[in-house]
């Protein structure tokens, strides 16, 4: 365990999309899709990233890979800051960082045969010598549960699960070290989901891949992940190992999110936490803690002081005033600078 080293270090990552209006398309605001998140993934590890729709999970993955250009922050992959790389240098490490898309139907070019889809980038980046090319593509297809003799078939001739295997094979063919899995099973039937998840785990054991696994399905995240990050409205609110996080969630949002996980036991009662109100707009997020407008445990300080990420226990971080021993001092310092703040905490509206 001592030899484990970080392969990806994300620090204060921000991605703002401009809002334009008027005849001259002037910038009148920004959608804060990702608003200063930080996390680390070790080599050979899987980090699950969860949260409601619109919280910025997919944007995180795409920004890490520079499919979106970041607004601020750093993404250090194997000691190199991806965000500061020139395009020529970035192209050299492209094979090492890959993406498995959410939709296996729209992410495959319909006019190319499967062998060309998988092998196009292999040939471009010269992953193997030309004389070994055909055997290499056949091996990759076999590793991903595809028949090698289907190499000349087209995507429309395959089922949804087979198409997702093609997407995995396309990523695997470049011999990557880090793969962003953007909800890779959400478009599949439950039985097929299990096959794809087990395939990803088997490939990780065989090739020591590192995954960032983005998903809505908490049961899948619990099964495949080593650590979990919980996002809300562009912020990371809690991170920790899956054992700690699922056993002892601390943030009120994490508690509500995990209470929605179905349990296959009809005799076990779940204390379901229903969040009231709707998610605020990322173009105009609430001041202070972004979750305070929906939080059942909100305090007056939550409406004007941004919570810090605190290590509550070893490798378990949470961003919440409930666990900040210095919150009273922070409130006093804020009021000394801005004057006394009168805040009435109201119940969230339906």
């Amino acid at each position: 365990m001592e030899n484990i080293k970080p392969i990806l270090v994300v620090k204060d990552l921000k991605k703002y999309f401009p809002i334009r209006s008027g005849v001259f398309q002037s910038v009148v605001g920004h959608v804060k899709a990702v608003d200063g998140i930080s996390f680390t993934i070790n080599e050979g590890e899987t980090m699950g990233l969860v949260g409601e729709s619109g919280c910025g999970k997919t944007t995180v993955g795409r920004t890490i890979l520079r499919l979106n250009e970041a607004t601020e922050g750093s993404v250090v992959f194997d000691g190199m800051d991806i965000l500061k790389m020139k395009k020529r240098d970035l192209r050299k490490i492209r094979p090492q960082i890959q993406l498995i898309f959410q939709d296996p139907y729209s992410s495959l070019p319909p006019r190319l045969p499967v062998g060309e889809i998988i092998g196009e980038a292999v040939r471009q980046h010269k992953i193997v010598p030309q004389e070994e090319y055909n055997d290499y593509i056949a091996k990759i297809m076999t590793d991903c549960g595809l028949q090698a003799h289907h190499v000349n078939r087209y995507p429309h001739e395959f089922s949804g699960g087979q198409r997702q295997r093609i997407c995995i094979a396309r990523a695997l063919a470049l011999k990557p070290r880090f793969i962003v899995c953007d909800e890779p099973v959400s478009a599949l039937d439950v039985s097929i989901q299990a096959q794809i998840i087990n395939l990803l785990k088997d490939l990780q054991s065989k090739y020591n891949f590192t995954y960032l696994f983005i998903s809505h399905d908490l049961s899948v995240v619990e099964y495949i992940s080593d650590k979990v990050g919980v996002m809300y409205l562009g912020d990371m609110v809690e991170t920790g190992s899956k054992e700690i996080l699922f056993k002892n969630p601390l943030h009120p949002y994490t508690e509500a999110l995990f209470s929605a996980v179905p349990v296959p036991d009809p005799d076990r009662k779940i204390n379901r936490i229903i969040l009231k109100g709707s998610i605020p707009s990322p173009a105009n997020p609430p001041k202070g803690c972004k979750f305070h407008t929906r939080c059942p445990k909100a305090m007056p300080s939550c409406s004007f002081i941004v919570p810090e990420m605190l290590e509550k226990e070893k490798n378990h971080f949470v961003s919440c005033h409930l666990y900040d021993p210095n919150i009273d001092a922070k409130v006093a310092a804020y009021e000394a600078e801005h004057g006394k703040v009168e805040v009435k905490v109201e119940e969230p509206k339906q």
Side-chain angles (χ1 to χ4, degrees):
M1 298 297 289
E2 296 295 329
N3 295 327
I4 293 177
K5 62 176 183 177
I7 192 172
L8 187 81
V9 180
V10 177
K11 187 173 182 181
D12 298 328
L13 183 65
K14 295 183 180 180
K15 176 57 184 175
Y16 295 173
F17 293 97
I19 302 171
R20 300 182 183 276
S21 181
V23 176
F24 299 104
Q25 290 293 288
S26 303
V27 176
V28 296
H30 289 89
V31 174
K32 299 178 179 179
V34 180
D35 199 12
I37 71 168
S38 302
F39 59 88
T40 300
I41 308 178
N42 295 323
E43 194 164 11
E45 193 173 56
T46 299
M47 178 172 176
L49 195 59
V50 300
E52 293 173 294
S53 294
C55 71
K57 305 185 299 297
T58 294
T59 304
V60 169
R62 295 180 68 87
T63 305
I64 287 173
L65 299 179
R66 273 187 70 175
L67 299 179
N68 296 327
E69 290 295 336
T71 304
E72 286 182 26
S74 65
V75 176
V76 178
F77 171 74
D78 199 25
M80 303 171 287
D81 192 342
I82 294 175
L83 304 186
K84 293 182 180 178
M85 280 184 169
K86 295 181 179 179
K87 289 186 178 181
R88 181 186 303 174
D89 297 327
L90 182 62
R91 187 179 182 278
K92 293 178 182 178
I93 70 160
R94 275 293 183 201
Q96 299 183 51
I97 50 175
Q98 289 296 304
L99 172 65
I100 298 173
F101 293 93
Q102 177 178 357
D103 186 359
Y105 293 88
S106 63
S107 62
L108 296 176
R111 292 180 176 84
L112 288 181
V114 167
E116 190 62 26
I117 291 172
I118 297 172
E120 185 178 23
V122 172
R123 190 181 288 116
Q124 183 72 23
H125 288 279
K126 300 177 181 178
I127 301 297
V128 294
Q130 184 60 38
E131 60 270 17
E132 300 176 14
Y133 174 82
N134 291 333
D135 291 340
Y136 180 72
I137 297 304
K139 179 182 181 299
I140 292 297
M141 292 182 68
T142 303
D143 283 351
C144 294
L146 297 164
Q147 299 294 323
H149 63 269
H150 290 165
V151 67
N152 293 318
R153 290 191 177 183
Y154 289 83
H156 72 271
E157 300 179 71
F158 293 89
S159 67
Q162 288 174 317
R163 292 188 196 195
Q164 195 59 288
R165 290 175 187 272
I166 295 168
C167 293
I168 294 171
R170 178 173 57 183
L172 173 63
L174 292 174
K175 298 182 179 180
R177 297 176 60 197
F178 173 68
I179 302 175
V180 175
C181 305
D182 184 13
E183 303 194 36
V185 297
S186 64
L188 308 176
D189 293 339
V190 174
S191 59
I192 306 301
Q193 286 184 14
Q195 295 176 22
I196 297 300
I197 293 300
N198 287 329
L199 172 63
L200 289 172
K201 287 180 71 72
D202 291 344
L203 291 172
Q204 185 177 42
S205 299
K206 187 174 182 179
Y207 296 104
N208 198 37
F209 291 144
T210 304
Y211 293 140
L212 175 62
F213 193 89
I214 299 167
S215 180
H216 285 99
D217 193 328
L218 296 172
S219 299
V220 170
V221 168
E222 184 178 12
Y223 176 69
I224 197 173
S225 301
D226 298 301
K227 64 169 67 169
V228 180
V230 182
M231 284 189 68
Y232 180 80
L233 209 64
D235 288 346
M236 190 77 78
V237 297
E238 189 168 359
T239 62
S241 70
K242 70 172 180 183
E243 293 82 8
I244 291 175
L245 215 62
F246 278 86
K247 184 179 179 180
N248 182 34
L250 297 178
H251 198 282
Y253 176 68
T254 310
E255 291 177 339
L257 200 65
F258 286 7
S259 75
V261 179
V263 178
D265 183 354
D267 297 323
R268 181 179 170 187
K269 292 185 178 181
I270 304 174
N271 183 22
R272 181 77 167 87
I273 301 173
I274 306 296
L275 293 178
K276 299 179 180 180
S278 57
I279 304 175
S281 168
N284 186 26
K287 295 181 180 179
C289 174
K290 293 179 181 178
F291 185 58
H292 84 266
T293 57
R294 304 172 69 198
C295 182
K297 300 179 181 179
M299 303 180 294
S301 57
C302 298
S303 63
F304 58 91
I305 296 180
V306 178
E308 297 179 14
M309 187 66 83
L310 305 169
E311 188 172 17
K312 184 61 178 174
E313 53 186 318
K314 186 177 180 180
N315 297 325
H316 188 184
F317 296 85
V318 61
S319 175
C320 182
H321 292 322
L322 291 172
Y323 307 100
D324 189 348
N326 301 317
I327 186 60
D328 291 337
K330 292 177 181 178
V331 171
Y334 184 92
E335 292 184 339
E337 182 177 354
H338 300 91
K340 188 167 179 62
V341 180
E342 295 291 340
V343 178
K344 182 180 179 182
V345 179
E346 298 180 357
E347 284 293 319
K349 297 180 181 179
Q350 285 279 23

